[in-house]
Amino acid sequence: MSIAPHAEDAFAERAHLLQHIQRLLPSDQGETSPLPADLLSYPGFISHAYEISADLAPAADLAEVRRHADASAARTKVSPCSAWAVDLPAREPHSAATLQRAIQQLDSLISTGHRVDVTIAQWSDQERRTFCAASCFLAEHWPAMLDELRHTVRQVTLLDGVGIAGFSNITAHGVIFLNRQRLRAGSDGLPGVLRLLEGLVHEGTHNRYNAADLHTPFLIPGTGAQAPVVQTPLRPDPRPLMGLFQQLIVLVRCIELYARFTAAATNGTAIQDRQAVLSRQAYEAYAECEKHRALLTDAGAQILADAFHRLNTSPTT
């Protein structure tokens, strides 16, 4: 993986991840032959396989997963957005289960007063138009990023409520969860399309990273459990080193997004302020990662060096 988006590498990494997913499904499920691509890449199937491998009760049986996968593929084929035909689903069993696990992982924050009250929402027509406008922006101004997203993301699921702005998880790989507030103008003056773009780049990068790390680890194998828990610029609670490393890639990519948006639109104060915040957070993430360079593989060290170069040169070079 590189910080610069790369569709062909993303495709290869995802193919490797999907092979891993199929191996998680026990033979008594009757899936000894290669599965259809639409089923294998469907996030509900990925979630189903992970739940079985972890001895959890699956959110849906395999026959129901197949029905949802077929419906998802059908929706994608008739997507009205020519820039990016991706599924924008309502609530599905795997998305509901994944959200519930995400909320449970926030228990430590909830206990300190952090309010989490969020549900899966239905996309409105206006929200679909905003999504398409964001996709069209990428098609025109950052086509490499859009190409990578097409190879990485199968669904974008909308959240409604407070406490979670967005997230993704390898146990439902291929889904971006985004709060619908990210599609609206913010109190900081940023337009909804730009806020959505940042969310898509941010969570799409997490999806890409999860597949890439399974293909070519960024931490030295065997050190994950012993890796330090560190403070990160994007979370108030301490996170594993791997979480910080992901944040660094996300932040550097988002800096480039804002540089491209600035070049294509009026360079307003709100955009400049957001760029400054992202830059400060990226430098913080880099400095903390540098302290733990010895725990990185060669691939991880290359990413770290690339991040340093990009933070000290023009964001779009």
Side-chain angles (χ1 to χ4, degrees), residues 38 69-81 85-87 154:
D38 279 345
D70 290 342
S72 176
R75 288 191 299 268
T76 301
K77 290 176 182 176
V78 298
S79 169
C81 185
V86 67
D87 187 18
R154 175 75 181 264

Side-chain angles (χ1 to χ4, degrees), residues 110-281:
I110 294 172
S111 65
T112 62
H114 181 81
R115 183 185 169 208
V116 178
D117 184 8
V118 64
T119 58
I120 294 170
Q122 181 86 32
W123 286 80
S124 70
D125 290 343
Q126 179 57 52
E127 287 164 339
R128 290 175 183 273
R129 287 191 291 269
T130 300
F131 179 87
C132 193
S135 302
C136 290
F137 175 89
L138 290 177
E140 181 176 357
H141 300 287
W142 203 1
M145 186 73 244
L146 182 58
D147 284 345
E148 182 180 293
L149 288 170
R150 290 186 182 119
H151 284 297
T152 306
V153 177
R154 175 75 181 264
Q155 295 181 317
V156 182
T157 296
L158 205 58
L159 303 176
D160 189 25
V162 297
I164 298 179
F167 75 98
S168 53
N169 193 293
I170 194 171
T171 61
H173 183 77
V175 184
I176 288 176
F177 292 85
L178 286 178
N179 198 298
R180 68 183 351 152
Q181 293 299 324
R182 298 296 297 266
L183 283 74
R184 301 169 184 169
S187 59
D188 54 9
L190 293 174
V193 168
L194 181 52
R195 285 160 51 81
L196 172 59
L197 280 165
E198 184 180 333
L200 292 172
V201 170
H202 183 133
E203 298 302 338
T205 297
H206 280 307
N207 273 268
R208 167 81 197 278
Y209 180 96
N210 287 334
D213 184 57
L214 183 66
H215 185 270
T216 306
F218 298 111
L219 275 183
I220 295 173
T223 64
Q226 290 75 39
V229 176
V230 296
Q231 288 299 138
T232 70
L234 299 185
R235 290 280 295 263
D237 53 330
R239 303 294 295 162
L241 178 60
M242 190 56 66
L244 173 68
F245 196 70
Q246 287 195 40
Q247 286 185 19
L248 176 61
I249 301 172
V250 164
L251 287 163
V252 175
R253 283 184 163 193
C254 286
I255 290 170
E256 178 166 349
L257 168 67
Y258 274 79
R260 290 174 183 270
F261 196 89
T262 298
T266 302
N267 187 6
T269 301
I271 295 176
Q272 292 177 329
D273 290 346
R274 183 60 181 157
Q275 285 178 301
V277 169
L278 291 168
S279 181
R280 173 181 56 77
Q281 292 173 331

Side-chain angles (χ1 to χ4, degrees), residues 42 44 47 51 58-61 64-65 68 90-99 101 120:
Y42 173 60
S47 179
E51 287 165 345
D61 62 31
E64 185 179 359
V65 170
H68 282 292
R91 184 184 184 278
E92 295 184 304
H94 71 275
S95 57
T98 303
L99 175 59
R101 287 193 292 267
I120 294 170

